[in-house]
């Protein structure tokens, strides 16, 4: 119909996922400079539709976008939007949101998020199934049991199209760093419990709590500046500068040395990683929690200091983005 997105879109299918995420990893490493400069988001589809139950996860910065999209797309069950059916199935309180998963491992988003710090989102419809990766994982099973009529497959396509359109055409990239910073509170609390269990007297999370609070304050100011700018209009120069700064926020949590305890240089993101003991599981604040798990008190102190500085850097980027949006 002549629609031309404001941002380039790339569609890809990956080879050899089950053999170690080989296709997506090779792509990320081969095109890393372009992705680091301009990668806005990566939307992952893995096991997209094999039942009626919706679930989602990914970077906290994209969770509000996913909820908004789910609220716009009808659920095939006829019970309202995907979001409404999801809330009902999860039986969440009025003041809460359905739980979303954190980026762990085991799927093709790993290279984008764990290696480069590009925000990712992942969602799909699931259900009880015992056919995964077996000879019974067939067209017959799917058409008769998994998704008769392929309604949930089609709905995944609609939801993906809506998410892509919003990310491609938004004047300001719709990251939610208030939600991101709020998620960091939970990660900090978990790290605090792990440290407390060691009964160390020289390890404090004070700097981490303080710096993540600074980031949350900056995120709230950015949200106010963004909403005001969108209401009055934004100059092309201000828009470009703000978006370039926003794309660097989660890159601030990527470091070249990776995770020292597990000796994983490739896992550069220090907010979430695949657990070294279980590649499908997730570990939050891995640089700190791996040091605590190893019983290395001195390294734990250094990792807390490093991450605290990264929260302050992210806050500075958010402050700069907010200032650019206040410029007429």
């Amino acid at each position: 119909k002549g629609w031309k997105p404001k941002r380039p879109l790339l569609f890809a299918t990956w080879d050899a996922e089950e053999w170690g995420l080989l296709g997506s990893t090779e792509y990320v490493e081969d095109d890393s400079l372009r992705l680091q400069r301009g990668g806005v988001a990566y939307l992952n589809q893995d096991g997209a539709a094999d039942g009626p139950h919706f679930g989602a996860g990914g970077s906290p910065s994209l969770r509000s976008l996913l909820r908004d999209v789910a609220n716009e797309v009808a659920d095939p069950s006829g019970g309202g939007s995907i979001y409404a059916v999801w809330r009902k199935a999860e039986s969440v309180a009025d003041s809460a949101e359905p739980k979303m998963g954190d980026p762990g491992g085991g799927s093709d988003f790993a290279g984008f998020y764990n290696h480069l710090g590009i925000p990712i989102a992942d969602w799909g419809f699931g259900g009880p199934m015992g056919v995964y990766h077996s000879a019974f994982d067939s067209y017959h099973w799917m058409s008769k049991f998994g998704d008769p009529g392929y309604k949930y497959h089609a709905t995944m396509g609609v939801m993906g199209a809506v998410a892509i359109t919003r990310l491609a055409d938004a004047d300001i990239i719709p990251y939610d760093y208030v939600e991101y910073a709020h998620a960091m509170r939970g990660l900090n609390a978990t790290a605090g419990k792990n440290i407390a269990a060691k009964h160390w007297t020289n390890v404090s999370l004070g700097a981490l709590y303080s710096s993540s609070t600074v980031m949350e304050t900056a995120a709230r100011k950015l949200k106010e500046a963004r909403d005001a700018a969108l209401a009055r209009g934004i100059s092309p120069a201000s828009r470009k500068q703000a978006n370039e700064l926003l794309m660097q926020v989660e890159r601030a949590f990527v470091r070249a040395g990776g995770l020292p305890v597990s000796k994983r240089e490739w896992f550069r993101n220090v907010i979430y990683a695949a657990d070294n003991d279980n590649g499908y599981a997730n570990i939050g604040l891995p640089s700190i929690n791996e040091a605590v798990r190893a019983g290395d008190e001195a390294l734990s102190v250094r990792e807390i200091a490093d991450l605290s500085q990264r929260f302050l850097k992210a806050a500075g980027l958010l402050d700069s983005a907010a200032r650019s949006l206040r410029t007429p």
Side-chain angles (χ1 to χ4, degrees):
K1 294 184 178 180
W3 172 64
K4 298 181 74 172
K6 295 177 181 177
R7 299 182 177 90
L9 309 178
L10 181 92
F11 294 87
T13 55
W14 307 117
D15 197 9
E17 189 258 10
E18 292 292 352
W19 281 264
L21 314 179
L22 298 184
S24 57
T25 298
E26 289 296 327
Y27 172 78
V28 164
E29 292 179 344
D30 186 59
D31 206 16
S32 60
L33 294 178
R34 186 169 69 110
L35 290 169
Q36 285 174 322
R37 284 196 303 267
V40 170
Y42 171 73
L43 306 181
N44 194 60
Q45 303 288 273
D46 184 354
D50 49 47
H53 307 301
F54 182 76
S59 308
S61 57
L62 291 178
R63 290 177 186 172
S64 63
L65 172 71
L66 274 184
R67 287 193 295 267
D68 288 347
V69 171
N71 201 39
E72 293 294 327
V73 179
D75 191 272
S77 68
S81 68
I82 294 172
Y83 178 75
V85 173
W86 183 27
R87 283 191 66 91
K88 185 176 180 180
E90 295 291 319
S91 300
V92 295
D94 290 344
S95 58
E97 295 288 355
K99 183 174 175 56
M100 291 193 185
D102 297 326
S107 194
D108 286 303
F109 62 75
F112 297 87
Y113 185 79
N114 298 133
H115 194 61
L116 296 184
I118 295 172
I120 65 101
D122 186 75
W123 69 89
F125 289 94
M129 61 177 296
V131 303
Y132 189 56
H133 289 342
S134 77
F136 300 98
D137 192 358
S138 64
Y139 172 80
H140 172 75
W141 181 88
M142 185 61 73
S143 60
K144 187 170 182 179
F145 301 106
D147 185 13
Y150 282 77
K151 297 177 182 178
Y152 288 93
H153 281 75
T155 300
M156 284 295 294
V158 174
M159 189 170 173
V162 175
I164 288 168
T165 303
R166 293 194 177 187
L167 284 165
D169 273 1
D171 284 338
I172 303 300
I173 303 169
Y175 300 135
D176 187 341
Y177 283 114
V178 175
E179 179 152 354
Y180 185 96
H182 188 266
M184 296 305 102
R185 292 187 198 175
L187 297 185
N188 291 345
T190 299
K193 291 178 182 177
N194 294 338
I195 290 169
K198 294 291 186 180
H199 303 290
W200 289 334
T201 57
N202 296 322
V203 182
S204 169
L205 283 178
L208 196 63
Y209 280 111
S210 175
S211 59
S212 58
T213 299
V214 170
M215 181 185 176
E216 184 169 358
T217 300
R220 294 188 186 280
K221 291 180 179 178
L222 169 71
K223 185 177 184 298
E224 293 172 1
R226 181 196 64 198
D227 292 348
L230 289 172
R232 71 166 187 272
I234 313 168
S235 70
S238 294
R239 181 171 61 242
K240 182 175 185 293
Q241 184 179 25
N243 285 326
E244 287 177 350
L245 289 163
L246 290 174
M247 278 192 287
Q248 295 306 310
V249 172
E250 284 177 75
R251 314 287 205 272
F253 298 103
V254 172
R255 68 181 186 192
L259 304 177
V261 172
S262 55
K263 296 181 173 59
R264 294 187 289 171
E265 295 180 1
W266 191 86
F267 283 83
R268 297 175 176 178
N269 196 317
V270 294
I271 297 298
Y272 295 106
D275 194 313
N276 196 42
D277 295 337
N278 179 351
Y280 283 97
N282 168 274
I283 182 170
L285 308 188
S287 60
I288 295 173
N289 284 314
E290 285 188 352
V292 174
R293 183 190 289 175
D296 193 327
E297 186 174 358
L299 180 59
S300 300
V301 171
R302 293 197 298 273
E303 292 297 342
I304 291 168
D306 176 82
L307 186 54
S308 299
Q309 289 301 310
R310 292 177 187 279
F311 277 124
L312 293 177
K313 181 179 179 180
L317 290 164
L318 292 169
D319 284 336
S320 296
R323 283 196 296 273
S324 70
L325 291 173
R326 295 188 190 106
T327 304

